[in-house]
Amino acid sequence: MTAPLGPAEPCLFVSDFDASIAFYTEVLGFEVVFTYGEPAFYGQVRRDKALLNIRHVDTSPFADEVRERHELLSASITVGDAADIRSLFEMFQTAGADFFRPLKYEKWG
């Protein structure tokens, strides 16, 4: 028997590390777990059980046109029921978060 999988920690590639940390903490309500480097170029933020690793890069690891066409960078976090998700989405919108897509229901499977 193999060990069960734990929570995922997606890595988000960003061009402005400080602005990204500020966005996740000040707008989305995450807290900084750690930052690394002088100046900081890598770190982790947490909200509840969700962990996001943030990594500064000077250029995208994917060409912009490929990334946009295939939506290669994404992360998912399990939330709860539809009411919890709607409430969280509205809270983030009110806080000024910009969404790539609006909230919508998807039938998976």
Short mmCIF file of all heavy atoms in Angstrom, two decimals, residues 28-86:
data_model
loop_
_atom_site.label_atom_id
_atom_site.label_comp_id
_atom_site.label_asym_id
_atom_site.label_seq_id
_atom_site.Cartn_x
_atom_site.Cartn_y
_atom_site.Cartn_z
N LEU A 28 -6.38 38.84 -0.85
CA LEU A 28 -7.02 37.54 -0.72
C LEU A 28 -6.97 36.94 0.68
O LEU A 28 -7.52 35.87 0.91
CB LEU A 28 -6.41 36.55 -1.73
CG LEU A 28 -6.54 36.95 -3.20
CD1 LEU A 28 -6.02 35.84 -4.09
CD2 LEU A 28 -7.98 37.30 -3.56
N GLY A 29 -6.31 37.60 1.62
CA GLY A 29 -6.33 37.16 3.00
C GLY A 29 -5.43 35.99 3.36
O GLY A 29 -5.64 35.32 4.37
N PHE A 30 -4.40 35.74 2.55
CA PHE A 30 -3.41 34.72 2.88
C PHE A 30 -2.42 35.29 3.90
O PHE A 30 -2.36 36.50 4.10
CB PHE A 30 -2.64 34.29 1.62
CG PHE A 30 -3.37 33.34 0.73
CD1 PHE A 30 -4.48 33.75 -0.02
CD2 PHE A 30 -2.95 32.03 0.58
CE1 PHE A 30 -5.15 32.88 -0.85
CE2 PHE A 30 -3.60 31.14 -0.26
CZ PHE A 30 -4.70 31.57 -0.98
N GLU A 31 -1.63 34.43 4.52
CA GLU A 31 -0.54 34.88 5.38
C GLU A 31 0.76 34.31 4.84
O GLU A 31 0.78 33.24 4.23
CB GLU A 31 -0.76 34.44 6.83
CG GLU A 31 -0.72 32.94 7.02
CD GLU A 31 -0.88 32.52 8.47
OE1 GLU A 31 -0.24 33.12 9.34
OE2 GLU A 31 -1.67 31.60 8.71
N VAL A 32 1.85 35.04 5.05
CA VAL A 32 3.16 34.58 4.59
C VAL A 32 3.65 33.48 5.53
O VAL A 32 3.68 33.67 6.75
CB VAL A 32 4.17 35.74 4.56
CG1 VAL A 32 5.56 35.24 4.22
CG2 VAL A 32 3.73 36.80 3.55
N VAL A 33 4.03 32.34 4.95
CA VAL A 33 4.64 31.25 5.71
C VAL A 33 6.14 31.51 5.79
O VAL A 33 6.73 31.45 6.86
CB VAL A 33 4.34 29.88 5.07
CG1 VAL A 33 5.06 28.75 5.81
CG2 VAL A 33 2.84 29.62 5.01
N PHE A 34 6.75 31.80 4.63
CA PHE A 34 8.18 32.13 4.60
C PHE A 34 8.50 32.82 3.28
O PHE A 34 7.75 32.71 2.32
CB PHE A 34 9.06 30.88 4.77
CG PHE A 34 9.06 29.97 3.58
CD1 PHE A 34 9.94 30.16 2.52
CD2 PHE A 34 8.17 28.91 3.50
CE1 PHE A 34 9.93 29.31 1.42
CE2 PHE A 34 8.16 28.04 2.42
CZ PHE A 34 9.05 28.25 1.37
N THR A 35 9.60 33.53 3.27
CA THR A 35 10.21 34.02 2.03
C THR A 35 11.68 33.63 2.08
O THR A 35 12.25 33.44 3.16
CB THR A 35 10.06 35.55 1.86
OG1 THR A 35 10.69 36.21 2.95
CG2 THR A 35 8.60 35.96 1.75
N TYR A 36 12.31 33.54 0.91
CA TYR A 36 13.68 33.10 0.83
C TYR A 36 14.44 33.98 -0.15
O TYR A 36 13.96 34.30 -1.23
CB TYR A 36 13.74 31.64 0.35
CG TYR A 36 15.13 31.10 0.19
CD1 TYR A 36 15.86 30.69 1.31
CD2 TYR A 36 15.73 31.03 -1.06
CE1 TYR A 36 17.15 30.21 1.18
CE2 TYR A 36 17.02 30.55 -1.21
CZ TYR A 36 17.73 30.13 -0.08
OH TYR A 36 19.00 29.66 -0.21
N GLY A 37 15.67 34.35 0.25
CA GLY A 37 16.56 35.12 -0.60
C GLY A 37 16.61 36.58 -0.21
O GLY A 37 15.73 37.11 0.46
N GLU A 38 17.70 37.23 -0.62
CA GLU A 38 17.88 38.67 -0.42
C GLU A 38 18.29 39.29 -1.75
O GLU A 38 19.43 39.11 -2.16
CB GLU A 38 18.97 38.94 0.63
CG GLU A 38 18.49 38.85 2.05
CD GLU A 38 17.40 39.86 2.40
OE1 GLU A 38 17.43 41.00 1.89
OE2 GLU A 38 16.51 39.49 3.17
N PRO A 39 17.41 39.95 -2.45
CA PRO A 39 16.00 40.12 -2.12
C PRO A 39 15.23 38.81 -2.30
O PRO A 39 15.66 37.91 -3.03
CB PRO A 39 15.52 41.17 -3.11
CG PRO A 39 16.43 41.02 -4.28
CD PRO A 39 17.76 40.59 -3.72
N ALA A 40 14.08 38.74 -1.65
CA ALA A 40 13.27 37.52 -1.69
C ALA A 40 12.85 37.21 -3.13
O ALA A 40 12.44 38.09 -3.87
CB ALA A 40 12.04 37.67 -0.80
N PHE A 41 12.98 35.93 -3.51
CA PHE A 41 12.57 35.49 -4.85
C PHE A 41 11.69 34.25 -4.79
O PHE A 41 11.15 33.81 -5.80
CB PHE A 41 13.77 35.22 -5.74
CG PHE A 41 14.62 34.06 -5.29
CD1 PHE A 41 14.35 32.77 -5.74
CD2 PHE A 41 15.66 34.25 -4.41
CE1 PHE A 41 15.12 31.70 -5.32
CE2 PHE A 41 16.44 33.18 -3.99
CZ PHE A 41 16.16 31.90 -4.44
N TYR A 42 11.55 33.66 -3.59
CA TYR A 42 10.75 32.46 -3.44
C TYR A 42 10.07 32.51 -2.08
O TYR A 42 10.65 33.02 -1.11
CB TYR A 42 11.63 31.21 -3.52
CG TYR A 42 10.86 29.91 -3.46
CD1 TYR A 42 10.18 29.45 -4.59
CD2 TYR A 42 10.79 29.17 -2.30
CE1 TYR A 42 9.45 28.26 -4.55
CE2 TYR A 42 10.07 27.98 -2.26
CZ TYR A 42 9.41 27.53 -3.38
OH TYR A 42 8.69 26.37 -3.34
N GLY A 43 8.85 32.03 -2.01
CA GLY A 43 8.16 32.03 -0.73
C GLY A 43 6.89 31.21 -0.79
O GLY A 43 6.54 30.63 -1.83
N GLN A 44 6.22 31.20 0.34
CA GLN A 44 4.97 30.45 0.42
C GLN A 44 3.95 31.26 1.22
O GLN A 44 4.30 31.92 2.20
CB GLN A 44 5.21 29.11 1.12
CG GLN A 44 4.00 28.19 1.14
CD GLN A 44 4.34 26.87 1.80
OE1 GLN A 44 4.46 26.80 3.02
NE2 GLN A 44 4.52 25.83 0.98
N VAL A 45 2.70 31.22 0.76
CA VAL A 45 1.60 31.84 1.48
C VAL A 45 0.58 30.77 1.81
O VAL A 45 0.50 29.74 1.14
CB VAL A 45 0.96 33.00 0.68
CG1 VAL A 45 1.93 34.16 0.51
CG2 VAL A 45 0.45 32.53 -0.68
N ARG A 46 -0.20 31.03 2.86
CA ARG A 46 -1.18 30.05 3.32
C ARG A 46 -2.48 30.75 3.68
O ARG A 46 -2.49 31.86 4.22
CB ARG A 46 -0.64 29.34 4.56
CG ARG A 46 -1.68 28.53 5.32
CD ARG A 46 -1.14 27.86 6.55
NE ARG A 46 -0.45 28.80 7.43
CZ ARG A 46 0.63 28.49 8.14
NH1 ARG A 46 1.17 27.30 8.07
NH2 ARG A 46 1.18 29.40 8.92
N ARG A 47 -3.56 30.08 3.36
CA ARG A 47 -4.88 30.47 3.84
C ARG A 47 -5.61 29.18 4.15
O ARG A 47 -5.81 28.36 3.26
CB ARG A 47 -5.65 31.29 2.80
CG ARG A 47 -7.02 31.66 3.33
CD ARG A 47 -7.76 32.58 2.42
NE ARG A 47 -9.11 32.68 2.91
CZ ARG A 47 -9.89 33.69 2.71
NH1 ARG A 47 -9.47 34.70 1.98
NH2 ARG A 47 -11.11 33.70 3.19
N ASP A 48 -5.97 28.99 5.40
CA ASP A 48 -6.56 27.74 5.86
C ASP A 48 -5.60 26.61 5.51
O ASP A 48 -4.43 26.66 5.90
CB ASP A 48 -7.96 27.54 5.29
CG ASP A 48 -8.89 28.72 5.61
OD1 ASP A 48 -8.85 29.19 6.77
OD2 ASP A 48 -9.62 29.16 4.70
N LYS A 49 -6.02 25.62 4.75
CA LYS A 49 -5.14 24.51 4.39
C LYS A 49 -4.51 24.68 3.01
O LYS A 49 -3.76 23.82 2.56
CB LYS A 49 -5.91 23.18 4.45
CG LYS A 49 -6.31 22.82 5.86
CD LYS A 49 -7.01 21.48 5.89
CE LYS A 49 -7.43 21.15 7.31
NZ LYS A 49 -8.13 19.86 7.37
N ALA A 50 -4.82 25.76 2.34
CA ALA A 50 -4.28 26.01 1.00
C ALA A 50 -2.89 26.64 1.11
O ALA A 50 -2.70 27.62 1.82
CB ALA A 50 -5.20 26.94 0.21
N LEU A 51 -1.93 26.05 0.43
CA LEU A 51 -0.56 26.55 0.38
C LEU A 51 -0.20 26.87 -1.07
O LEU A 51 -0.46 26.05 -1.96
CB LEU A 51 0.43 25.52 0.92
CG LEU A 51 0.26 25.14 2.38
CD1 LEU A 51 1.08 23.89 2.70
CD2 LEU A 51 0.67 26.28 3.28
N LEU A 52 0.37 28.04 -1.31
CA LEU A 52 0.82 28.42 -2.64
C LEU A 52 2.29 28.81 -2.55
O LEU A 52 2.67 29.64 -1.72
CB LEU A 52 0.01 29.61 -3.18
CG LEU A 52 -1.49 29.42 -3.29
CD1 LEU A 52 -2.15 30.73 -3.71
CD2 LEU A 52 -1.83 28.31 -4.27
N ASN A 53 3.11 28.22 -3.41
CA ASN A 53 4.51 28.59 -3.51
C ASN A 53 4.63 29.65 -4.60
O ASN A 53 4.08 29.48 -5.69
CB ASN A 53 5.37 27.37 -3.85
CG ASN A 53 5.29 26.33 -2.75
OD1 ASN A 53 5.36 26.65 -1.57
ND2 ASN A 53 5.12 25.08 -3.13
N ILE A 54 5.34 30.72 -4.30
CA ILE A 54 5.47 31.83 -5.25
C ILE A 54 6.94 31.97 -5.61
O ILE A 54 7.80 32.07 -4.73
CB ILE A 54 4.91 33.13 -4.64
CG1 ILE A 54 3.43 32.94 -4.33
CG2 ILE A 54 5.15 34.31 -5.57
CD1 ILE A 54 2.80 34.08 -3.58
N ARG A 55 7.21 31.98 -6.91
CA ARG A 55 8.59 31.99 -7.41
C ARG A 55 8.76 33.10 -8.44
O ARG A 55 8.04 33.15 -9.44
CB ARG A 55 8.90 30.62 -8.06
CG ARG A 55 10.22 30.53 -8.79
CD ARG A 55 11.36 30.45 -7.79
NE ARG A 55 12.59 29.98 -8.36
CZ ARG A 55 13.52 30.77 -8.87
NH1 ARG A 55 13.36 32.06 -8.91
NH2 ARG A 55 14.63 30.25 -9.35
N HIS A 56 9.71 33.99 -8.18
CA HIS A 56 10.00 35.06 -9.14
C HIS A 56 10.74 34.48 -10.35
O HIS A 56 11.65 33.67 -10.20
CB HIS A 56 10.87 36.14 -8.50
CG HIS A 56 11.33 37.14 -9.50
ND1 HIS A 56 12.57 37.06 -10.09
CD2 HIS A 56 10.72 38.20 -10.05
CE1 HIS A 56 12.70 38.05 -10.95
NE2 HIS A 56 11.59 38.75 -10.95
N VAL A 57 10.32 34.89 -11.54
CA VAL A 57 11.03 34.57 -12.78
C VAL A 57 11.10 35.85 -13.61
O VAL A 57 10.19 36.66 -13.59
CB VAL A 57 10.34 33.44 -13.59
CG1 VAL A 57 10.43 32.11 -12.87
CG2 VAL A 57 8.90 33.78 -13.90
N ASP A 58 12.22 36.03 -14.31
CA ASP A 58 12.36 37.22 -15.16
C ASP A 58 11.56 37.07 -16.44
O ASP A 58 11.05 38.05 -16.97
CB ASP A 58 13.83 37.48 -15.49
CG ASP A 58 14.59 37.98 -14.28
OD1 ASP A 58 14.00 38.73 -13.46
OD2 ASP A 58 15.77 37.61 -14.12
N THR A 59 11.47 35.85 -16.95
CA THR A 59 10.68 35.60 -18.14
C THR A 59 9.81 34.37 -17.88
O THR A 59 10.19 33.48 -17.13
CB THR A 59 11.54 35.34 -19.39
OG1 THR A 59 12.40 34.24 -19.13
CG2 THR A 59 12.37 36.56 -19.74
N SER A 60 8.69 34.33 -18.51
CA SER A 60 7.74 33.23 -18.32
C SER A 60 8.36 31.91 -18.72
O SER A 60 9.06 31.83 -19.74
CB SER A 60 6.48 33.48 -19.15
OG SER A 60 5.64 32.37 -19.10
N PRO A 61 8.10 30.84 -17.95
CA PRO A 61 8.60 29.53 -18.37
C PRO A 61 7.86 29.00 -19.60
O PRO A 61 8.28 28.03 -20.20
CB PRO A 61 8.35 28.64 -17.15
CG PRO A 61 7.27 29.33 -16.40
CD PRO A 61 7.42 30.80 -16.68
N PHE A 62 6.77 29.64 -19.96
CA PHE A 62 6.02 29.29 -21.16
C PHE A 62 5.88 30.54 -22.01
O PHE A 62 5.70 31.63 -21.49
CB PHE A 62 4.61 28.80 -20.80
CG PHE A 62 4.60 27.63 -19.87
CD1 PHE A 62 4.32 27.80 -18.53
CD2 PHE A 62 4.87 26.36 -20.34
CE1 PHE A 62 4.30 26.72 -17.66
CE2 PHE A 62 4.87 25.27 -19.48
CZ PHE A 62 4.59 25.45 -18.14
N ALA A 63 5.95 30.40 -23.31
CA ALA A 63 5.72 31.54 -24.19
C ALA A 63 4.31 32.06 -23.95
O ALA A 63 3.37 31.28 -23.77
CB ALA A 63 5.90 31.12 -25.65
N ASP A 64 4.15 33.38 -23.91
CA ASP A 64 2.85 33.98 -23.60
C ASP A 64 1.73 33.44 -24.48
O ASP A 64 0.66 33.10 -23.98
CB ASP A 64 2.90 35.50 -23.72
CG ASP A 64 3.69 36.14 -22.59
OD1 ASP A 64 3.87 35.48 -21.54
OD2 ASP A 64 4.11 37.29 -22.75
N GLU A 65 1.97 33.35 -25.78
CA GLU A 65 0.90 32.92 -26.67
C GLU A 65 0.51 31.45 -26.42
O GLU A 65 -0.65 31.08 -26.51
CB GLU A 65 1.25 33.14 -28.14
CG GLU A 65 2.42 32.32 -28.66
CD GLU A 65 3.80 32.88 -28.35
OE1 GLU A 65 3.90 33.96 -27.73
OE2 GLU A 65 4.79 32.24 -28.72
N VAL A 66 1.48 30.63 -26.05
CA VAL A 66 1.17 29.23 -25.74
C VAL A 66 0.42 29.14 -24.43
O VAL A 66 -0.58 28.45 -24.30
CB VAL A 66 2.47 28.39 -25.69
CG1 VAL A 66 2.18 26.98 -25.20
CG2 VAL A 66 3.13 28.37 -27.05
N ARG A 67 0.88 29.87 -23.42
CA ARG A 67 0.25 29.84 -22.11
C ARG A 67 -1.20 30.30 -22.19
O ARG A 67 -2.09 29.69 -21.64
CB ARG A 67 1.02 30.70 -21.12
CG ARG A 67 0.46 30.61 -19.70
CD ARG A 67 1.15 31.53 -18.72
NE ARG A 67 0.78 32.89 -19.01
CZ ARG A 67 1.64 33.86 -19.28
NH1 ARG A 67 2.92 33.62 -19.31
NH2 ARG A 67 1.22 35.07 -19.54
N GLU A 68 -1.44 31.39 -22.91
CA GLU A 68 -2.80 31.91 -23.02
C GLU A 68 -3.70 30.97 -23.82
O GLU A 68 -4.85 30.75 -23.47
CB GLU A 68 -2.78 33.30 -23.65
CG GLU A 68 -2.20 34.34 -22.71
CD GLU A 68 -2.03 35.69 -23.36
OE1 GLU A 68 -2.59 35.92 -24.44
OE2 GLU A 68 -1.32 36.52 -22.77
N ARG A 69 -3.18 30.38 -24.87
CA ARG A 69 -3.98 29.50 -25.71
C ARG A 69 -4.34 28.21 -24.97
O ARG A 69 -5.45 27.71 -25.07
CB ARG A 69 -3.23 29.18 -27.00
CG ARG A 69 -4.04 28.31 -27.97
CD ARG A 69 -3.37 28.14 -29.32
NE ARG A 69 -2.05 27.52 -29.21
CZ ARG A 69 -0.91 28.10 -29.59
NH1 ARG A 69 -0.91 29.30 -30.09
NH2 ARG A 69 0.24 27.48 -29.47
N HIS A 70 -3.42 27.67 -24.20
CA HIS A 70 -3.65 26.38 -23.55
C HIS A 70 -3.92 26.50 -22.06
O HIS A 70 -4.15 25.49 -21.41
CB HIS A 70 -2.45 25.46 -23.77
CG HIS A 70 -2.23 25.13 -25.21
ND1 HIS A 70 -3.08 24.31 -25.92
CD2 HIS A 70 -1.27 25.53 -26.08
CE1 HIS A 70 -2.64 24.20 -27.16
NE2 HIS A 70 -1.55 24.94 -27.28
N GLU A 71 -3.88 27.71 -21.51
CA GLU A 71 -4.11 27.94 -20.08
C GLU A 71 -3.27 26.98 -19.23
O GLU A 71 -3.77 26.25 -18.38
CB GLU A 71 -5.60 27.80 -19.75
CG GLU A 71 -6.45 28.79 -20.51
CD GLU A 71 -7.94 28.56 -20.28
OE1 GLU A 71 -8.33 28.09 -19.20
OE2 GLU A 71 -8.69 28.84 -21.20
N LEU A 72 -1.97 26.97 -19.46
CA LEU A 72 -1.10 25.99 -18.83
C LEU A 72 -0.86 26.22 -17.34
O LEU A 72 -0.59 25.28 -16.61
CB LEU A 72 0.25 25.96 -19.56
CG LEU A 72 0.19 25.47 -20.99
CD1 LEU A 72 1.56 25.59 -21.65
CD2 LEU A 72 -0.29 24.03 -21.03
N LEU A 73 -0.91 27.44 -16.88
CA LEU A 73 -0.68 27.71 -15.47
C LEU A 73 -2.00 27.81 -14.75
O LEU A 73 -2.81 28.68 -15.03
CB LEU A 73 0.12 29.00 -15.28
CG LEU A 73 1.54 28.98 -15.82
CD1 LEU A 73 2.22 30.31 -15.58
CD2 LEU A 73 2.35 27.87 -15.19
N SER A 74 -2.24 26.91 -13.84
CA SER A 74 -3.47 26.95 -13.06
C SER A 74 -3.24 26.26 -11.74
O SER A 74 -2.26 25.54 -11.55
CB SER A 74 -4.61 26.27 -13.82
OG SER A 74 -4.36 24.90 -13.94
N ALA A 75 -4.14 26.48 -10.83
CA ALA A 75 -4.10 25.82 -9.53
C ALA A 75 -5.53 25.62 -9.09
O ALA A 75 -6.41 26.41 -9.42
CB ALA A 75 -3.35 26.68 -8.52
N SER A 76 -5.78 24.56 -8.36
CA SER A 76 -7.12 24.36 -7.83
C SER A 76 -7.02 24.10 -6.34
O SER A 76 -6.05 23.50 -5.87
CB SER A 76 -7.83 23.20 -8.53
OG SER A 76 -7.15 22.00 -8.28
N ILE A 77 -8.01 24.57 -5.63
CA ILE A 77 -8.07 24.39 -4.19
C ILE A 77 -9.48 23.92 -3.86
O ILE A 77 -10.46 24.55 -4.25
CB ILE A 77 -7.76 25.71 -3.45
CG1 ILE A 77 -6.35 26.20 -3.81
CG2 ILE A 77 -7.91 25.51 -1.94
CD1 ILE A 77 -6.06 27.59 -3.33
N THR A 78 -9.60 22.82 -3.15
CA THR A 78 -10.90 22.33 -2.74
C THR A 78 -11.48 23.27 -1.70
O THR A 78 -10.79 23.63 -0.74
CB THR A 78 -10.78 20.90 -2.17
OG1 THR A 78 -10.21 20.07 -3.17
CG2 THR A 78 -12.13 20.36 -1.75
N VAL A 79 -12.71 23.69 -1.90
CA VAL A 79 -13.32 24.67 -1.00
C VAL A 79 -14.41 24.05 -0.16
O VAL A 79 -14.32 23.93 1.02
CB VAL A 79 -13.85 25.89 -1.78
CG1 VAL A 79 -14.54 26.86 -0.86
CG2 VAL A 79 -12.71 26.58 -2.50
N GLY A 80 -15.47 23.63 -0.68
CA GLY A 80 -16.60 23.10 0.07
C GLY A 80 -17.78 22.99 -0.85
O GLY A 80 -17.64 22.57 -1.99
N ASP A 81 -18.93 23.44 -0.40
CA ASP A 81 -20.10 23.38 -1.27
C ASP A 81 -20.23 24.65 -2.09
O ASP A 81 -19.45 25.60 -1.95
CB ASP A 81 -21.37 23.08 -0.47
CG ASP A 81 -21.73 24.18 0.52
OD1 ASP A 81 -21.32 25.34 0.33
OD2 ASP A 81 -22.43 23.86 1.49
N ALA A 82 -21.23 24.68 -2.96
CA ALA A 82 -21.41 25.80 -3.89
C ALA A 82 -21.61 27.12 -3.15
O ALA A 82 -21.12 28.16 -3.59
CB ALA A 82 -22.59 25.53 -4.81
N ALA A 83 -22.31 27.11 -2.02
CA ALA A 83 -22.52 28.35 -1.26
C ALA A 83 -21.20 28.89 -0.72
O ALA A 83 -20.96 30.10 -0.75
CB ALA A 83 -23.51 28.10 -0.12
N ASP A 84 -20.30 28.00 -0.25
CA ASP A 84 -18.99 28.42 0.24
C ASP A 84 -18.17 29.04 -0.89
O ASP A 84 -17.50 30.06 -0.71
CB ASP A 84 -18.21 27.23 0.82
CG ASP A 84 -18.83 26.67 2.07
OD1 ASP A 84 -19.52 27.41 2.80
OD2 ASP A 84 -18.62 25.46 2.33
N ILE A 85 -18.23 28.41 -2.05
CA ILE A 85 -17.47 28.90 -3.19
C ILE A 85 -17.98 30.26 -3.64
O ILE A 85 -17.21 31.18 -3.88
CB ILE A 85 -17.51 27.87 -4.34
CG1 ILE A 85 -16.79 26.59 -3.90
CG2 ILE A 85 -16.91 28.44 -5.62
CD1 ILE A 85 -17.01 25.41 -4.82
N ARG A 86 -19.30 30.41 -3.77
CA ARG A 86 -19.89 31.69 -4.17
C ARG A 86 -19.50 32.79 -3.17
O ARG A 86 -19.12 33.88 -3.55
CB ARG A 86 -21.40 31.57 -4.30
CG ARG A 86 -22.11 32.88 -4.40
CD ARG A 86 -22.73 33.32 -5.69
NE ARG A 86 -22.90 32.39 -6.74
CZ ARG A 86 -22.47 32.64 -7.98
NH1 ARG A 86 -21.85 33.77 -8.27
NH2 ARG A 86 -22.69 31.78 -8.93
#
